[in-house]
Amino acid sequence: MQTPLKILHVCSEVASFVKSGGLADVCDALPRAQRLLGHDVRIVLPMFGAIPTQFRGEPGGACEAVINGQAVPGLVRQTLLPDSAVPVYLIEHANYFERDELYGDYDDNLERFSFFCLAALNAIGGSDWEPDIVHCHDWHTGGIPAYLKTRLKSDSVFAGTPSIFTIHNIAYQGAYSMERFQSSGFHPSDDQLTPLTWKGNINLMRAAIGAATKINTVSRAYAEEIMTPQFGHGLEAALSDRRSDVSGIVNGADYTVWNPAADPHIAKPYSPEAIAGKLDCKKALQERTGLRVCDAPLFGMVTRLVHDKGMDHIVDSIEWMMDQVLQVAILGKGDSHWEDALSDAAARHPGRIHITVGYDEALAHQIYAGSDFYLMPSHTEPCGLSQIYAMRYGTVPIVQRTGGLADTVDDATTTNLAQGVGNGIVYNNDSRPGFQNGMMRGLNLYGNEDKLGQVRRLAMNADFSWDISAQAYIDLYQSALISE
Ligand code: ADP
Ligand code: GLC
């Protein structure tokens, strides 16, 4: 075993406390896996209003952040990541975080997340624990690597502490007009020490890319993609400048949570060896969602309803789908445009299309278990966890060849299957015909019981547990410690 490291994760979501997407799953599972590897891991996150009272822990002192030239006081609460020994610090500030939405379109988002980052560093700096490494996730924590290079460069605790910045999605950058610069907690001259701005805005992701000791993203393919103009959202050159410090580490799945053999949310347990329960789960899903109880192939989705997830392909294909023998069950929340379009489609085709608009953990598990196929026509996908969960539930993913989807799903072609590979359907052409062709391949597979059984088994046996990726992060930290 290597020398244990003291690792601080700073993030805005942790699934046991608060979740809007895959970021929360990673920031819950990765610290657990690193703890199991013997490291001293801790997490700090904002105490959002959505965190249930019973998870809010005990008062653990005060913290502060200097914003707009004023010291803004906050509180720290302390608890443990449930069923683990991982300490969690919650940064409390009712005015910033007790709101309906985590991120929303709030005018003061730069101030909210700058406060969070500075208060998190202040809280840890004032404790009796000094991290060896600070691991920051996505733009909400993008200020931290830059604070370490500017305001805190001579700090008694943080001087020389390496930072890792993980890009979970480069489309969301935390870019704000320069009029708001003051509320970032940076001094205008800090921009000369490390770049903080991009295209006339303060841009937190840009700041992190310049300042972090190492930068990574959540699949190898996406790491390459974001260094190109097509996927880089303007930051491709900044990333390419640091190419030797950029890497891809694919996400894992927490199989204690995502396991059809022991899932409290689903109708019947099942496994690759005893698959019968999956049919009970399908029937239960049809009953719960008002789909006709029948043998038609069922296509599921659990997703943020945003354009990047390929919602245009879904909505534009509704009438085509209704010409086939199939059913669709979608759980999603997001842009009202997609919520409305899907609700309309469900109203027009009762018993054949279902949409639940909202966030529902139990229904998510039921869709992964009860569907035959899982649709993921994302235009871009940094990693994607949904397809990984679907596979474990024997639900064959149908995905566009991009980013983490390309890295985790092997196309079940005849050649691949002959070699014992092929856990899903991967289509190449990011277009409506390409997507429909992927679905058509699913329909054909459904008609071939033996082949479906083979793909299903390969999917269920694919292993995306965290051990390997958690160790890959430790190796990345070691290389950061050497280079800082
Ligand atoms: P992203 O992080 O881009 O949203 P991922 O596939 O990495 O995509 O992760 C999505 C995670 O969020 C999965 O755990 C999925 O089950 C969950 N999820 C997404 N939308 C919902 C919803 N409406 N209700 C419950 N869970 C959801
Ligand atoms: C982001 C990405 C998703 C990834 C998740 C966790 O939300 O969109 O692809 O799986 O982060 O890393």
Side-chain angles (χ1 to χ4, degrees):
M1 149 96 205
Q2 296 156 309
T3 317
L5 291 176
K6 287 184 272 176
I7 304 160
L8 179 67
H9 285 276
V10 191
C11 53
S12 59
E13 298 183 26
V14 173
S16 299
F17 296 87
V18 61
K19 169 168 168 179
S20 77
L23 172 67
D25 292 8
V26 173
C27 294
D28 195 295
L30 174 60
R32 286 177 200 275
Q34 292 177 330
R35 170 87 202 180
L36 291 177
L37 290 174
H39 300 281
D40 180 356
V41 193
R42 305 192 181 193
I43 305 173
V44 53
L45 90 155
M47 198 172 83
F48 283 119
I51 298 179
T53 322
Q54 71 268 30
F55 289 111
R56 293 183 171 201
E58 304 296 327
C63 57
E64 69 166 34
V66 177
I67 300 277
N68 289 325
Q70 303 266 316
V72 182
L75 291 170
V76 188
R77 296 184 73 88
Q78 278 190 34
T79 184
L80 291 176
L81 190 60
D83 304 317
S84 84
V86 175
V88 177
Y89 303 86
L90 299 163
I91 302 297
E92 181 177 1
H93 188 293
N95 185 36
Y96 288 140
F97 303 129
E98 287 282 344
R99 299 190 186 176
D100 292 344
E101 303 285 333
L102 307 185
Y103 312 119
D105 204 8
Y106 300 120
D107 272 355
D108 61 348
N109 271 349
L110 177 60
E111 182 172 326
R112 294 170 75 215
F113 289 100
S114 301
F115 169 80
F116 167 60
C117 292
L118 287 166
L121 293 172
N122 179 260
I124 299 299
S127 75
D128 54 5
W129 184 80
E130 283 189 22
D132 297 319
I133 198 104
V134 181
H135 187 159
C136 309
H137 298 265
D138 262 355
W139 72 263
H140 328 99
T141 61
I144 288 183
Y147 295 133
L148 297 181
K149 290 269 189 254
T150 55
R151 283 179 62 157
L152 297 174
K153 69 175 190 301
S154 308
D155 186 80
S156 58
V157 173
F158 289 108
T161 306
S163 61
I164 303 293
F165 184 66
T166 299
I167 298 173
H168 292 265
N169 197 328
I170 204 161
Y172 305 96
Q173 299 182 353
Y176 300 95
S177 128
M178 289 306 274
E179 284 156 32
R180 298 195 179 275
F181 186 90
Q182 268 215 315
S183 56
S184 69
F186 287 106
H187 188 272
S189 65
D190 289 343
D191 195 33
Q192 269 121 54
L193 295 176
T194 191
L196 303 174
T197 56
W198 170 242
K199 291 209 167 155
N201 288 324
I202 173 162
N203 182 314
L204 296 176
M205 188 162 283
R206 169 66 186 101
I209 290 170
T213 315
K214 297 280 174 191
I215 303 137
N216 86 295
T217 183
V218 286
S219 67
R220 283 188 192 194
Y222 192 65
E224 288 302 319
E225 286 173 355
I226 56 178
M227 287 190 267
T228 67
Q230 191 188 346
F231 292 99
H233 285 266
L235 295 181
E236 58 277 3
L239 279 163
S240 300
D241 283 350
R242 300 216 47 202
R243 176 174 278 276
S244 60
D245 291 316
V246 176
S247 61
I249 300 177
V250 72
N251 287 333
D254 182 344
Y255 289 130
T256 61
V257 177
W258 303 99
N259 174 11
D263 184 333
H265 299 297
I266 66 176
K268 269 274 171 69
Y270 63 97
S271 64
E273 297 73 37
I275 192 87
K278 185 161 175 64
L279 204 54
D280 295 286
C281 292
K282 178 172 179 178
K283 184 161 176 269
L285 177 63
Q286 288 169 324
E287 281 166 353
R288 171 166 179 181
T289 55
L291 293 174
R292 210 171 314 132
V293 178
C294 67
D295 183 34
L298 205 170
F299 293 74
M301 281 186 98
V302 179
T303 185
R304 292 184 293 116
L305 296 177
V306 296
H307 179 264
D308 275 352
K309 295 287 181 188
M311 296 321 300
D312 49 336
H313 291 333
I314 301 288
V315 168
D316 293 348
S317 298
I318 294 287
E319 298 315 318
W320 174 86
M321 289 186 206
M322 293 299 96
D323 288 340
Q324 324 299 323
V325 178
L326 59 82
Q327 299 181 330
V328 183
I330 301 177
L331 165 63
K333 184 172 180 267
D335 298 348
S336 55
H337 171 72
W338 303 118
E339 293 183 355
D340 295 347
L342 291 167
S343 300
D344 276 2
R348 275 185 281 116
H349 303 285
R352 296 196 64 201
I353 300 184
H354 170 84
I355 164 96
T356 290
V357 174
Y359 187 91
D360 186 328
E361 199 60 39
L363 181 56
H365 286 245
Q366 290 155 13
I367 290 179
Y368 290 121
S371 305
D372 298 296
F373 297 96
Y374 189 82
L375 295 176
M376 210 145 166
S378 308
H379 300 301
T380 166
E381 194 61 73
C383 179
L385 290 163
S386 294
Q387 83 283 6
I388 293 177
Y389 301 152
M391 284 192 255
R392 184 47 59 119
Y393 285 77
T395 297
V396 177
I398 299 178
V399 306
Q400 205 255 124
R401 192 182 301 281
T402 186
L405 300 176
D407 281 5
T408 55
V409 184
D410 296 315
D411 198 11
T413 57
T414 312
T415 325
N416 275 347
L417 286 174
Q419 292 169 1
V421 182
N423 49 21
I425 292 171
V426 187
Y427 63 89
N428 289 315
N429 183 350
D430 184 13
S431 64
R432 185 166 19 141
F435 166 64
Q436 292 177 358
N437 181 46
M439 279 192 82
M440 198 44 110
R441 287 182 58 202
L443 291 172
N444 290 336
L445 184 60
Y446 193 74
N448 183 337
E449 220 173 290
D450 287 349
K451 198 168 161 188
L452 177 63
Q454 188 187 359
V455 179
R456 208 168 244 174
R457 270 189 304 281
L458 285 165
M460 293 185 84
N461 288 320
D463 186 2
F464 293 97
S465 44
W466 262 106
D467 345 1
I468 294 170
S469 294
Q471 181 58 46
Y473 275 107
I474 302 297
D475 297 345
L476 185 65
Y477 302 161
Q478 298 289 4
S479 69
L481 281 161
I482 292 165
S483 58
E484 190 62 32

